[in-house]
Amino acid sequence: MKIERIKTDLLVIGGGTAGCYAAIAASKAGIKILVVEKANIKRSGCLAAGVNALNAYITEGRTPRDYVEYAKKDADGIVREDLLYSISEKFNEVTAHLENLGLVILKDKDGKYVTRGNRNIKINGENIKPILAAAVAKAPNVQVLNHVNIFDFSVHDNKIDGAFGFGIENDTFYAIEARAVIVATGGASGLYRPNNPGFSRHKMWYPPFNTGAGYAMGIRHGAEMTTFEMRFIALRCKDTIAPTGTLAQGVGAKQVNSLGEVYETKYGISTSERVYGTVAENLEGRGPCYLRTVGITPEQEESLLKAYLNMAPSQTIRWIENDTPSKANVEIEGTEPYIVGGHTASGYWVDTKRATTIEGLYAAGDVAGGAPQKYVTGALAEGEIAAKSAVEYVKGLSALRLIRQTHQPAQGSSAPGANPLEKISEEEVAEHVAEIEKFLSKRGGNTEEARNESVEHLEEAMQAVMDAYAGGIKTGYRYSENQLAVALKEIEKIETRVGDLRAADLQEVMFIYELKERLTVCKSVIAHLAARHETRWHSFAENLDYPEKDNVNFRKYVNSRLENGEIKIILRELTAEGQRNYEH
Ligand SMILES: Cc1cc2nc3c(=O)[nH]c(=O)nc-3n(C[C@H](O)[C@H](O)[C@H](O)COP(=O)(O)OP(=O)(O)OC[C@H]3O[C@@H](n4cnc5c(N)ncnc54)[C@H](O)[C@@H]3O)c2cc1C
């Protein structure tokens, strides 16, 4: 491996929705910005295949407050209103910017955006990611490193000084020093056994390459995290795992069981209740469950076929190969659980400025907690908020340095903190390089089993454990304390076997790090599930030992922090209703 040291003012880890927008927003501040992306920002992350709607928009007659109330109700109160307000007030502004950049937003004959329900607008979004990437390419002061996987932060005294990564295509190790860092690596998929096995296992709803890297790096360095127990389970079209919102909101399709009975009225229509009702109907023998599309008009059918081409082409192909939606209802199922701060509230515990509890580290998008129902526009808004805060922080450091240089010339640049750009030591670099080289070295291991270990094998083992003991599809998303204890023990056992893995190249080394990230996130998920002694969100956190909601003890945020190798749970009081600002 070549070793390259880079220095920048602002490092953005993950060039997805929030990361790209953060770079664009910070680009006019006159500081050096580096975006590091494990894939290629043209087609990476959640927007890689395109989306067909902006799910969060303040439509005519509605207000940001309405949106906050909606998200709060859906999460049964466990949200941060300050975060939700700050994104809701920006939804329309970032949408207008996207349109300016070239995104096609559907309009009616009066030139108004075509809405879908109360909060969505329809777009032709197949090319939404290339549009964002083109804007990043044009932004001044922004450099992009594609195909570089970041696997660790450099943190000293709870202050971030940069990150470590490796280039998958150029055999290069990167030690990147930065004065501020925005983590925007998205959520975590692949923790649980997915709907489809074997060859098709990556046919999942959430991008399989968002492995929870940002969460894992933060957890290991002691960042406070929130609400990992509020897992997100998507209600999806069976087999294709295509979204169902377009059916429910686009053509008003109701959830029906195999007897043709509408069951959503029985269980409720919050995001988790829609999944729960489907699981319950199946368990009680009234499955399979469907979205009732039979009888829709030819125009509606055509609009569905086109809409799915924009975001989940396999569903359109399936319709063309089999019965179209006007002739057969669409079968639905829940996916495996994901950890996604843009849909539920899991992620970094941030203040209103999106500062994490590690100094100089900001979080935006699915990696940041507290603000569910964020979606594309929320991720963009958070990218912008985090960028402004990070720029302010970097400029504050510069001012501080200037004051130090003016008032303490005798101490010069060797004074601690005098030059915040020389913080990653040679030892730290050597340690990280050695770790990678160990994975690239000849296979070790004392036993036959250790010598034959593979990432795929351990990944499957991890997913099987989470599925059976931490509320996966197998148990109808339900779990008990005893099961969670088994899950933790088994995940820890798998962790000890990761050291035996070997890789032929850096691509395979990345697979090892992805597995390590997932295992770290699994342990936090287990700890959070065990800590919330109630069932507030059916299916998302279905605790068999505590099947009822407990507003007395658990109208609280369940937060956590790694201290001396142990996950410490912190129960925090909810912020006040209508509160617009929160500081750590
Ligand atoms: C299939 C799907 C459909 C959706 N449909 C809609 C919709 O119709 N409307 C809507 O409003 N919202 C939709 N959403 C939600 C929305 O797209 C997301 O909430 C939002 O895009 C998340 O943005 P993000 O920046 O947090 O994550 P992403 O855009 O996923 O960005 C994360 C980036 O980090 C990179 N990365 C990860 N790990 C590393 C690492 N270790 N080193 C370097 N880079 C790394 C990834 O490659 C990726 O580019 C959908 C989501 C999905 C998954």
Side-chain angles (χ1 to χ4, degrees):
M1 269 187 308
K2 289 175 286 224
I3 297 178
E4 200 175 317
R5 272 181 176 267
I6 300 180
K7 289 184 182 183
T8 188
D9 292 315
L10 173 60
L11 168 65
V12 179
I13 307 178
T17 320
C20 282
Y21 209 69
I24 297 165
S27 66
K28 288 175 206 90
I31 62 168
K32 268 167 77 177
I33 301 155
L34 177 67
V35 178
V36 183
E37 164 60 46
K38 76 192 278 192
N40 185 310
I41 67 164
K42 274 190 193 162
R43 286 281 176 193
S44 67
C46 292
L47 299 186
V51 288
N52 74 337
L54 297 179
N55 288 349
Y57 186 81
I58 309 300
T59 54
E60 212 168 283
R62 305 265 162 176
T63 63
R65 187 190 158 85
D66 295 333
Y67 197 86
V68 175
E69 289 305 320
Y70 150 70
K72 191 171 151 190
K73 189 163 171 242
D74 204 71
D76 205 345
I78 313 299
V79 295
R80 283 267 306 281
E81 289 194 32
D82 60 312
L83 301 176
L84 283 171
Y85 269 110
S86 64
I87 55 172
S88 306
E89 283 161 354
K90 282 185 175 293
F91 288 158
N92 294 15
E93 189 188 309
V94 297
T95 301
H97 189 198
L98 271 185
E99 193 175 24
N100 257 337
L101 292 176
L103 180 72
V104 175
I105 305 183
L106 273 55
K107 297 212 172 104
D108 64 16
K109 59 179 176 12
D110 302 319
K112 291 186 178 161
Y113 292 158
V114 178
T115 57
R116 196 183 74 173
N118 294 330
R119 299 171 288 270
N120 291 22
I121 54 172
K122 293 186 182 182
I123 61 171
N124 283 348
E126 187 281 330
N127 61 348
I128 186 169
K129 196 67 210 296
I131 286 173
L132 268 178
V136 172
K138 278 196 208 126
N141 310 312
V142 180
Q143 193 200 339
V144 178
L145 274 182
N146 283 314
H147 298 292
V148 172
N149 184 61
I150 297 292
F151 68 102
D152 198 8
F153 293 151
S154 174
V155 178
H156 306 104
D157 299 328
N158 200 41
K159 179 179 167 305
I160 195 148
D161 289 316
F164 302 99
F166 49 86
I168 297 142
E169 297 195 327
N170 62 0
D171 288 340
T172 303
F173 174 88
Y174 292 94
I176 305 166
E177 294 191 15
R179 303 164 85 190
V181 176
I182 297 176
V183 59
T185 46
S189 64
L191 308 175
Y192 286 80
R193 179 177 273 171
N195 295 91
N196 296 311
F199 178 78
S200 301
R201 69 190 186 284
H202 283 164
K203 188 164 188 56
M204 48 177 59
W205 166 71
Y206 203 68
F209 320 104
N210 284 3
T211 54
Y215 298 137
M217 294 188 285
I219 291 167
R220 291 183 201 131
H221 285 284
E224 188 166 330
M225 297 285 165
T226 190
T227 327
F228 269 44
E229 74 283 9
M230 189 183 182
R231 308 169 302 168
F232 180 66
I233 297 157
L235 188 68
R236 286 296 176 261
C237 302
K238 189 168 181 304
D239 301 331
T240 61
I241 315 298
T244 49
T246 305
L247 293 164
Q249 291 172 26
V251 300
K254 297 270 179 241
Q255 287 176 249
V256 294
N257 61 23
S258 61
L259 307 174
E261 298 161 343
V262 175
Y263 64 84
E264 59 189 46
T265 38
K266 189 163 144 196
Y267 301 94
I269 54 164
S270 75
T271 316
S272 70
E273 287 164 344
R274 283 183 178 279
V275 177
Y276 177 63
T278 308
V279 173
E281 288 298 299
N282 272 301
L283 285 175
E284 287 170 23
R286 292 188 291 276
C289 296
Y290 303 89
L291 275 167
R292 191 170 59 200
T293 49
V294 168
I296 57 171
T297 64
E299 293 74 35
Q300 284 178 315
E301 176 155 289
E302 195 186 329
S303 83
L304 282 182
L305 295 179
K306 283 184 180 164
Y308 277 87
L309 270 184
N310 264 334
M311 59 168 177
S314 52
Q315 185 61 36
T316 303
I317 292 165
R318 188 188 171 111
W319 275 326
I320 290 168
E321 278 178 343
N322 300 290
D323 285 328
T324 55
S326 64
K327 296 196 188 72
N329 293 330
V330 179
E331 191 176 341
I332 49 177
E333 64 181 351
T335 61
E336 74 278 18
Y338 306 100
I339 300 299
V340 189
H343 275 66
T344 50
S346 337
Y348 277 87
W349 181 244
V350 289
D351 68 9
T352 316
K353 292 180 158 188
R354 274 39 175 200
T356 70
T357 54
I358 295 179
E359 192 191 329
L361 176 66
Y362 298 81
D366 286 358
V367 85
Q373 323 285 358
K374 210 179 276 176
Y375 305 117
V376 171
T377 43
L380 298 173
E382 278 202 333
E384 184 181 319
I385 297 167
K388 280 192 180 146
S389 310
V391 166
E392 191 185 12
Y393 175 78
V394 167
K395 294 205 161 165
L397 283 184
S398 302
L400 199 68
R401 191 161 51 153
L402 205 65
I403 293 168
R404 280 207 184 112
Q405 280 168 355
T406 319
H407 293 283
Q408 302 166 341
Q411 287 182 346
S413 60
S414 62
N419 185 353
L421 281 186
E422 280 173 15
K423 291 290 178 139
I424 299 183
S425 68
E426 285 305 322
E427 291 75 39
E428 233 182 312
V429 173
E431 227 174 80
H432 285 82
V433 169
E435 189 179 86
I436 295 175
E437 283 178 343
K438 190 187 151 221
F439 290 128
L440 287 167
S441 69
K442 264 186 125 169
R443 194 169 270 282
N446 297 328
T447 62
E448 184 67 19
E449 194 191 10
R451 283 190 288 278
N452 290 330
E453 206 59 280
S454 74
V455 172
E456 210 161 299
H457 175 210
L458 291 187
E459 186 179 297
E460 271 177 26
M462 168 191 72
Q463 291 175 345
V465 167
M466 294 300 284
D467 190 40
Y469 301 109
I473 296 171
K474 185 177 192 166
T475 60
Y477 308 116
R478 294 167 301 179
Y479 53 85
S480 66
E481 273 177 12
N482 289 339
Q483 285 175 319
L484 291 175
V486 176
L488 179 61
K489 211 167 112 203
E490 293 300 320
I491 292 293
E492 282 175 343
K493 261 198 228 162
I494 295 168
E495 249 185 341
T496 62
R497 289 154 65 186
V498 174
D500 292 329
L501 291 170
R502 290 296 179 269
D505 55 24
L506 285 176
Q507 172 89 33
E508 287 186 20
V509 171
M510 183 178 73
F511 296 151
I512 298 178
Y513 280 105
E514 290 180 339
L515 173 67
K516 279 165 69 110
E517 284 147 15
R518 287 182 162 126
L519 288 164
T520 300
V521 178
C522 282
K523 288 196 292 184
S524 282
V525 173
I526 293 167
H528 275 252
L529 290 173
R532 187 171 280 282
H533 293 174
E534 64 158 0
T535 296
R536 179 169 297 268
W537 315 287
H538 281 300
S539 295
F540 287 9
E542 192 82 45
N543 192 331
L544 292 174
D545 297 315
Y546 303 94
E548 304 298 329
K549 182 158 77 178
D550 177 357
N551 270 339
V552 176
N553 298 302
F554 283 94
R555 254 186 82 78
K556 291 195 171 126
Y557 307 111
V558 173
N559 287 8
S560 65
R561 199 169 54 221
L562 196 69
E563 275 183 20
N564 306 318
E566 297 287 322
I567 297 174
K568 185 181 151 203
I569 294 291
I570 307 155
L571 293 185
R572 286 194 184 273
E573 296 299 327
L574 295 189
T575 50
E577 197 166 332
Q579 187 172 326
R580 296 299 192 100
N581 197 34
Y582 172 85
E583 288 175 22
H584 288 309

